[in-house]
Amino acid sequence: RVIYGVGVALLIGIALGAGLIWTSFRTTFDVPNEADSIDSDSVPTADDAVPTIAVLPFQNMTAAEENSFFADGVHEEILTQLSRLPAIDIISRTSVMRFTNDRPSASEISQMLSATHLVEGSVRRAGNTVRITVQLIDSSSDKQLWAETYDRALADVFAVQTDVAVRVATALDVAFSPTY
């Protein structure tokens, strides 16, 4: 019975995943009909451009190797939370991972990735406390637009990563949401 239940759950998961992929594929490649014709007023201009953010791998600023895994988890969680925001585009994790050890200047990274903004940060640990710093950088001016420091007790590693990522995503959502 357990194997049967696991098999059914697996099939349902695969079916749901395939449906999400198909829906994403269809909406990405739908061919517009005549009613959807584009007029010159609806073409985005540079002022209307959606910000493109590259979240760079977080730096482990401690000697312990396990903190590298924690820093990677913070990076991953921030990418996941930011990908849910409709007002911004996020450069893929695969594209930014090449900057884990080799860090060219912010303007060089931005050019390589066609990013308008960078998010970078670091992780430090003292005993059972972790400090995570996050900053948003404008690629065109190389100026820091926003920064925050988060100090947390490491009772639950995943809860800390999620909490910080949600707070970062909320701050950036406010920063990039159009004001009406």
Side-chain angles (χ1 to χ4, degrees):
R1 287 187 143 167
V2 172
I3 294 174
Y4 177 77
V6 170
V8 169
L10 184 61
L11 286 174
I12 291 171
I14 291 171
L16 288 173
L20 288 172
I21 291 170
W22 173 250
T23 301
S24 173
F25 179 82
R26 250 187 65 212
T27 57
T28 302
F29 294 102
D30 264 350
V31 177
N33 60 32
E34 290 178 67
D36 297 331
S37 64
I38 299 173
D39 62 82
S40 60
D41 294 335
S42 67
V43 176
T45 63
D47 294 339
D48 300 327
V50 174
T52 302
I53 298 177
V55 181
L56 300 176
F58 276 47
Q59 294 180 326
N60 172 23
M61 299 183 77
T62 59
E65 183 61 31
E66 69 263 9
N67 290 331
S68 289
F69 296 114
F70 180 79
D72 289 344
V74 171
H75 175 245
E76 184 77 23
E77 196 65 33
I78 288 174
L79 279 168
T80 300
Q81 294 298 325
L82 290 178
S83 71
R84 297 177 178 155
L85 302 179
I88 58 176
D89 288 336
I90 303 297
I91 303 291
S92 74
R93 180 180 186 277
T94 305
S95 295
V96 298
M97 287 311 290
R98 63 181 157 168
F99 302 112
T100 299
N101 297 320
D102 182 30
R103 284 272 169 104
S105 71
S107 61
E108 290 173 316
I109 293 172
S110 297
Q111 278 186 315
M112 286 185 234
L113 298 175
S114 299
T116 60
H117 297 81
L118 300 177
V119 170
E120 63 181 9
S122 64
V123 173
R124 291 174 278 170
R125 184 175 175 182
N128 197 33
T129 302
V130 66
R131 173 170 283 173
I132 303 166
T133 59
V134 184
Q135 19 193 353
L136 174 67
I137 299 167
D138 182 305
S139 298
S140 63
S141 66
D142 198 20
K143 291 185 180 174
Q144 182 174 303
L145 301 176
W146 171 85
E148 190 62 63
T149 299
Y150 303 95
D151 291 330
R152 298 289 188 273
L154 280 177
D156 181 347
V157 171
F158 297 126
V160 170
Q161 291 170 338
T162 300
D163 176 52
V164 170
V166 167
R167 291 175 185 274
V168 170
T170 301
L172 296 187
D173 188 30
V174 169
F176 289 112
S177 290
T179 55
Y180 296 99

mmCIF file of all heavy atoms in Angstrom, residues 17-30:
data_model
loop_
_atom_site.group_PDB
_atom_site.id
_atom_site.type_symbol
_atom_site.label_atom_id
_atom_site.label_comp_id
_atom_site.label_asym_id
_atom_site.label_seq_id
_atom_site.Cartn_x
_atom_site.Cartn_y
_atom_site.Cartn_z
ATOM 1 N N GLY A 17 3.693 18.939 -12.787
ATOM 2 C CA GLY A 17 4.901 19.572 -13.319
ATOM 3 C C GLY A 17 4.842 19.724 -14.822
ATOM 4 O O GLY A 17 5.170 20.774 -15.373
ATOM 5 N N ALA A 18 4.393 18.672 -15.511
ATOM 6 C CA ALA A 18 4.283 18.736 -16.973
ATOM 7 C C ALA A 18 3.269 19.793 -17.385
ATOM 8 O O ALA A 18 3.466 20.537 -18.347
ATOM 9 C CB ALA A 18 3.894 17.367 -17.537
ATOM 10 N N GLY A 19 2.164 19.882 -16.640
ATOM 11 C CA GLY A 19 1.152 20.896 -16.942
ATOM 12 C C GLY A 19 1.698 22.299 -16.778
ATOM 13 O O GLY A 19 1.446 23.181 -17.601
ATOM 14 N N LEU A 20 2.470 22.533 -15.698
ATOM 15 C CA LEU A 20 3.068 23.857 -15.487
ATOM 16 C C LEU A 20 4.060 24.194 -16.587
ATOM 17 O O LEU A 20 4.098 25.325 -17.081
ATOM 18 C CB LEU A 20 3.753 23.910 -14.124
ATOM 19 C CG LEU A 20 2.828 23.940 -12.921
ATOM 20 C CD1 LEU A 20 3.626 23.787 -11.641
ATOM 21 C CD2 LEU A 20 2.011 25.212 -12.902
ATOM 22 N N ILE A 21 4.866 23.227 -16.973
ATOM 23 C CA ILE A 21 5.842 23.457 -18.043
ATOM 24 C C ILE A 21 5.116 23.752 -19.344
ATOM 25 O O ILE A 21 5.475 24.679 -20.072
ATOM 26 C CB ILE A 21 6.792 22.249 -18.180
ATOM 27 C CG1 ILE A 21 7.704 22.161 -16.952
ATOM 28 C CG2 ILE A 21 7.605 22.342 -19.471
ATOM 29 C CD1 ILE A 21 8.502 20.885 -16.860
ATOM 30 N N TRP A 22 4.068 22.976 -19.664
ATOM 31 C CA TRP A 22 3.321 23.202 -20.906
ATOM 32 C C TRP A 22 2.676 24.588 -20.906
ATOM 33 O O TRP A 22 2.730 25.303 -21.889
ATOM 34 C CB TRP A 22 2.270 22.122 -21.089
ATOM 35 C CG TRP A 22 1.366 22.405 -22.257
ATOM 36 C CD1 TRP A 22 0.057 22.755 -22.220
ATOM 37 C CD2 TRP A 22 1.740 22.413 -23.634
ATOM 38 N NE1 TRP A 22 -0.412 22.972 -23.481
ATOM 39 C CE2 TRP A 22 0.610 22.769 -24.384
ATOM 40 C CE3 TRP A 22 2.924 22.160 -24.313
ATOM 41 C CZ2 TRP A 22 0.616 22.870 -25.754
ATOM 42 C CZ3 TRP A 22 2.930 22.254 -25.686
ATOM 43 C CH2 TRP A 22 1.793 22.602 -26.392
ATOM 44 N N THR A 23 2.065 24.970 -19.785
ATOM 45 C CA THR A 23 1.431 26.287 -19.701
ATOM 46 C C THR A 23 2.464 27.384 -19.890
ATOM 47 O O THR A 23 2.246 28.342 -20.621
ATOM 48 C CB THR A 23 0.738 26.452 -18.332
ATOM 49 O OG1 THR A 23 -0.226 25.412 -18.188
ATOM 50 C CG2 THR A 23 0.058 27.806 -18.225
ATOM 51 N N SER A 24 3.612 27.245 -19.239
ATOM 52 C CA SER A 24 4.683 28.230 -19.388
ATOM 53 C C SER A 24 5.165 28.288 -20.825
ATOM 54 O O SER A 24 5.373 29.357 -21.392
ATOM 55 C CB SER A 24 5.842 27.872 -18.459
ATOM 56 O OG SER A 24 6.930 28.703 -18.704
ATOM 57 N N PHE A 25 5.343 27.125 -21.457
ATOM 58 C CA PHE A 25 5.815 27.059 -22.838
ATOM 59 C C PHE A 25 4.800 27.709 -23.768
ATOM 60 O O PHE A 25 5.145 28.502 -24.633
ATOM 61 C CB PHE A 25 6.048 25.599 -23.227
ATOM 62 C CG PHE A 25 6.512 25.417 -24.648
ATOM 63 C CD1 PHE A 25 7.851 25.588 -24.984
ATOM 64 C CD2 PHE A 25 5.613 25.076 -25.641
ATOM 65 C CE1 PHE A 25 8.269 25.413 -26.283
ATOM 66 C CE2 PHE A 25 6.038 24.910 -26.936
ATOM 67 C CZ PHE A 25 7.358 25.083 -27.268
ATOM 68 N N ARG A 26 3.511 27.376 -23.580
ATOM 69 C CA ARG A 26 2.464 27.913 -24.445
ATOM 70 C C ARG A 26 2.362 29.421 -24.342
ATOM 71 O O ARG A 26 2.254 30.115 -25.337
ATOM 72 C CB ARG A 26 1.118 27.293 -24.068
ATOM 73 C CG ARG A 26 0.616 26.359 -25.128
ATOM 74 C CD ARG A 26 -0.770 25.869 -24.869
ATOM 75 N NE ARG A 26 -1.713 26.970 -24.914
ATOM 76 C CZ ARG A 26 -2.808 27.020 -24.193
ATOM 77 N NH1 ARG A 26 -3.088 26.061 -23.361
ATOM 78 N NH2 ARG A 26 -3.624 28.023 -24.299
ATOM 79 N N THR A 27 2.390 29.961 -23.121
ATOM 80 C CA THR A 27 2.249 31.406 -22.973
ATOM 81 C C THR A 27 3.490 32.131 -23.459
ATOM 82 O O THR A 27 3.402 33.258 -23.914
ATOM 83 C CB THR A 27 1.956 31.797 -21.517
ATOM 84 O OG1 THR A 27 2.992 31.297 -20.694
ATOM 85 C CG2 THR A 27 0.615 31.276 -21.069
ATOM 86 N N THR A 28 4.640 31.485 -23.395
ATOM 87 C CA THR A 28 5.868 32.116 -23.870
ATOM 88 C C THR A 28 5.898 32.189 -25.386
ATOM 89 O O THR A 28 6.379 33.157 -25.961
ATOM 90 C CB THR A 28 7.104 31.309 -23.385
ATOM 91 O OG1 THR A 28 7.056 31.248 -21.973
ATOM 92 C CG2 THR A 28 8.389 31.965 -23.828
ATOM 93 N N PHE A 29 5.353 31.181 -26.059
ATOM 94 C CA PHE A 29 5.475 31.107 -27.506
ATOM 95 C C PHE A 29 4.150 31.271 -28.248
ATOM 96 O O PHE A 29 4.050 30.921 -29.405
ATOM 97 C CB PHE A 29 6.131 29.773 -27.914
ATOM 98 C CG PHE A 29 7.539 29.675 -27.446
ATOM 99 C CD1 PHE A 29 7.864 28.926 -26.333
ATOM 100 C CD2 PHE A 29 8.548 30.363 -28.094
ATOM 101 C CE1 PHE A 29 9.171 28.856 -25.886
ATOM 102 C CE2 PHE A 29 9.846 30.294 -27.648
ATOM 103 C CZ PHE A 29 10.159 29.541 -26.547
ATOM 104 N N ASP A 30 3.105 31.759 -27.568
ATOM 105 C CA ASP A 30 1.838 31.990 -28.249
ATOM 106 C C ASP A 30 2.019 32.980 -29.385
ATOM 107 O O ASP A 30 2.688 34.002 -29.233
ATOM 108 C CB ASP A 30 0.805 32.554 -27.276
ATOM 109 C CG ASP A 30 -0.079 31.468 -26.694
ATOM 110 O OD1 ASP A 30 -0.045 30.322 -27.160
ATOM 111 O OD2 ASP A 30 -0.830 31.804 -25.776
#
